[in-house]
């Protein structure tokens, strides 16, 4: 939503600046104004920006889901206890399915090569599932009251999230590069 508002404000500024200039003794007509907007929307660099924005949005959603899966899983096992852990696992599988869908959309909207899409998608998803499994096993199955051990386990599990964060950083860097080139 914020990106959409930014694009709308930016377009309004650009178009109002153009509209203020005299074009053959007058301002732009409504039809010329609409044609100018259509040209801006159909511009090739605009499609690259749109592609970059889509991947950023999916990246944001997937980051939120990672945080919810990690922190929510740890807290949920403490709240529901051992007897009701099936509720936690059911909710986790639902969130994990949403995460896998968003990751596939994120990677597909960023990369063009089908082999690379598949390899990065598999790598990111497998390492995330391994990391989450470590956390859930430590807190839901083999809970040891030792806080240092549990912290070390969560820290080790978060190391498995690094490939996902690396992919997200690549997407973020490309977005900033695309956005910077657009404004220069």
């Amino acid at each position: 939503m914020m990106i959409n508002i930014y694009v709308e404000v930016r377009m309004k500024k650009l178009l109002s600046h153009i509209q203020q200039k005299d074009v053959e003794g007058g301002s732009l007509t409504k039809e010329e104004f609409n044609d100018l907007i259509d040209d801006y929307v159909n511009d090739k660099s605009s499609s690259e920006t749109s592609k970059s924005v889509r991947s950023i949005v999916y990246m944001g959603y997937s980051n939120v889901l990672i945080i919810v899966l990690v922190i929510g899983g740890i807290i949920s096992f403490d709240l529901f206890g051992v007897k009701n852990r099936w509720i936690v696992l059911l909710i986790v599988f639902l969130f994990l399915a949403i995460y896998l869908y968003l990751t596939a959309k994120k990677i597909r909207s960023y990369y063009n090569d089908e082999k690379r899409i598949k390899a990065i998608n598999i790598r990111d998803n497998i390492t995330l599932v391994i990391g989450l499994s470590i956390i859930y096993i430590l807190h839901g199955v083999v809970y040891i009251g030792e806080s240092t051990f549990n912290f070390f386990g969560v820290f080790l599990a978060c190391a498995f999230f690094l490939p996902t964060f690396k992919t997200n950083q690549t997407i973020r860097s490309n977005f900033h590069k695309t956005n910077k080139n657009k404004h220069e």
Side-chain angles (χ1 to χ4, degrees):
M1 183 176 83
M2 295 301 293
I3 293 171
N4 188 29
I5 291 171
Y6 170 76
V7 169
E8 292 287 336
V9 169
R10 179 85 174 132
M11 284 177 55
K12 181 159 177 65
K13 283 182 183 178
L14 288 171
L15 293 175
S16 67
H17 176 65
I18 291 172
Q19 192 173 19
Q20 289 174 357
K21 291 183 177 178
D22 285 339
V23 180
E24 299 177 358
S27 63
L28 292 174
T29 65
K30 182 78 171 166
E31 187 177 344
E32 292 170 330
F33 191 76
N34 289 336
D35 289 341
L36 185 61
I37 291 174
D38 289 340
D39 290 341
Y40 180 80
V41 170
N42 294 328
D43 188 17
K44 188 174 183 173
S45 64
S46 178
S47 68
E48 183 180 331
T49 303
S50 173
K51 182 179 171 183
S52 184
V53 168
R54 268 196 316 268
S55 13
I56 283 288
V57 169
Y58 291 133
M59 182 192 73
Y61 288 144
S62 66
N63 283 341
V64 169
L65 275 173
I66 289 172
I67 292 169
V68 167
L69 284 168
V70 172
I71 295 174
I74 292 171
I75 293 171
S76 297
F77 282 122
D78 291 339
L79 290 177
F80 289 110
V82 176
K83 291 183 180 181
N84 295 323
R85 68 178 151 206
W86 65 273
I87 295 172
V88 175
L89 293 177
L90 183 67
I91 294 169
V92 164
F93 282 124
L94 175 69
F95 281 151
L96 190 60
I98 294 169
Y99 172 81
L100 296 174
Y101 173 76
L102 288 174
T103 300
K105 296 284 272 181
K106 169 185 72 176
I107 293 171
R108 194 162 292 287
S109 68
Y110 180 69
Y111 293 105
N112 293 326
D113 182 24
E114 198 63 38
K115 283 178 127 178
R116 191 164 190 189
I117 290 171
K118 190 173 183 178
I120 291 174
N121 198 16
I122 289 171
R123 180 199 68 195
D124 286 0
N125 291 336
I126 287 177
T127 56
L128 183 94
V129 168
I130 290 171
L132 287 176
S133 298
I134 291 170
I135 290 172
Y136 293 149
I137 288 170
L138 287 176
H139 286 276
V141 179
V142 189
Y143 183 76
I144 298 174
E146 178 79 28
S147 62
T148 305
F149 180 77
N150 289 339
F151 176 76
F152 178 71
V154 171
F155 182 75
L156 175 69
C158 287
F160 281 98
F161 301 155
L162 289 177
T164 300
F165 292 141
K166 172 85 169 100
T167 302
N168 290 347
Q169 180 60 37
T170 304
I171 292 170
R172 187 179 306 116
S173 296
N174 182 51
F175 174 75
H176 289 298
K177 186 178 106 183
T178 303
N179 199 21
K180 186 177 180 181
N181 290 341
K182 182 82 173 168
H183 293 294
E184 290 180 353

